[in-house]
Amino acid sequence: MKQDMIVILDMGSTENTVIAREIRDMGVYSEIHPHDITAEELKKLDNVKGIILNGGKNRIVDGASVEIHPDLYDCGIPMMAVDHPTAKCDQKLDKLPDEKVLRQFVFNTCQADPNWNMKNFIEDQVELIKRQVGEKKVLLALSGGVDSSVVAALLLKAIGDQLVCVHVNHGLMRKNESESVIEVFRNQLHANLIYVDATERFLTKLENVADPEQKRKIIGSEFIRVFEEEARKLDGIEFLGQGTIYPDIIESGTKTAKMVKSHHNVGGLPEDLQFDLVEPLKQLFKDEVRACGVELGLPHKMVYRQPFPGPGLGVRCLGAITRDRLTAVREADAILREEFEKAGLDKKVWQYFTVVPDFKSVGVRNNARTFEYMVIIRAINTIDAMSATIEKVDWDILQKITERILTEVENVNRVCYDMSPKPPATIEFE
């Protein structure tokens, strides 16, 4: 079932996702597109009922004002301009529209139907996947995280055993993570799962690499190389499935917004990629991905598991990765997750993890001077990963976690708690 769509044209606003989410919450599908989309490109989107020109502080790029193609004004689709001077729109606003104004535009002016829901989304994606893939096979990068798990379930529903899942242990996984992935997907869901232990390969490539962007690109590129090697062992593999979601694309940069960070499945793909991509979640926010997983019947524990970045602990072992710090961040993270689960915080806090910086601090142990690493704990709450607040963890719980880390984790003599919201900080450190 084709869903009606409201298109938001990015004219330099930092609030595009706010409007898109409000419209989706009304039951109408909404997408964000660049300001220079043509009328011909717009027609290909299907069922566009309205256009919002969303201006803002980034409307001036390289000294020139961001403008839309003039032929859009003659395409016969209702328009609303937000903080964007134009005389050709049905409605003009100098600030974000409130819910009443937005509803009036979406339902009265645009006559959009509220048919955006996960059941319809899944039906549409299953049809699109079948049409794209045909009789060929799809190789899926299965990390075991929420995004790749939901993609796996969606692809299994669409193409069944045409899906080949590959779990690559890059040596940057959380404690016992790979074992858990094998248990759930191979033994419980009976997916066609290939396990590749590439720990030494990845850590060798990352040796002495300190720049976060370079680390992400190395990890992303090496992932693709591993998949290519696995694909050559199989017949009919022409597609690569990925758990790319909307915040990944937005944070990797647009024409009117600077890049926050490149994501391994957006900015880190090599130019000579040998596959066509299948990315059925690329227009969903994180909470919508979870709702999709629930609708697909995935276990609650899997759908609401801790988010984990594609580069894994590689972006939580800050700077150039060393094996002692990698072990420290893995063990400290396991302690944090264990204690949060005991305290019931695993059901309350959206994301929590540890990082280990690439510098040491002086300390005392057994009446002797030490020079060891610190562990930083981060615990945040968010809806869509575009902004985040800090969880106010009970002092006794933090103290217990600190004591365990300082006692059980080698090469660590200090534990800190990160109090920085997003923005100005990002969720991850790198």
Side-chain angles (χ1 to χ4, degrees), residues 2 27 32 91 164-165 167-168 192 224 243-244 260 272 281 296 354 364 378 386 426 429:
K2 286 292 183 183
I32 302 166
Q91 191 171 355
V164 180
C165 297
H167 174 67
V168 178
N192 184 2
I224 299 299
T244 308
V260 177
D272 60 341
L281 306 182
L296 286 165
T354 60
V364 178
R378 185 151 174 77
M386 300 306 296
T426 54
F429 276 60

Side-chain angles (χ1 to χ4, degrees), residues 293-363:
V294 171
E295 182 69 30
L296 286 165
L298 287 174
H300 185 274
K301 188 173 183 180
M302 181 183 296
V303 172
Y304 287 93
R305 71 183 301 175
Q306 274 289 289
F308 194 54
L313 298 180
V315 291
R316 295 177 182 175
C317 184
L318 307 185
I321 297 169
T322 59
R323 299 189 186 230
D324 57 346
R325 285 192 299 112
L326 188 57
T327 299
V329 73
R330 180 179 287 118
E331 293 299 325
D333 178 78
I335 290 171
L336 177 66
R337 287 188 288 132
E338 184 178 325
E339 292 300 327
F340 264 42
E341 185 175 357
K342 287 180 182 177
L345 290 173
D346 60 319
K347 298 178 179 65
K348 180 187 178 187
V349 183
W350 189 83
Q351 188 170 8
Y352 45 94
F353 57 89
T354 60
V355 300
V356 176
D358 58 345
F359 58 85
K360 296 180 178 181
S361 66
V362 68

Side-chain angles (χ1 to χ4, degrees), residues 9 91 97 194 214 217 301:
L9 296 188
Q91 191 171 355
I194 297 171
Q214 193 178 355
K217 290 182 185 298
K301 188 173 183 180

Side-chain angles (χ1 to χ4, degrees), residues 140-141 147-148 151 241-245 248 265 278-282 289:
L140 174 66
D147 303 334
S148 64
V151 169
Q242 288 204 128
T244 308
I245 66 174
D248 295 342
N265 48 6
V278 180
E279 301 174 297
L281 306 182
K282 66 182 179 181
V289 174

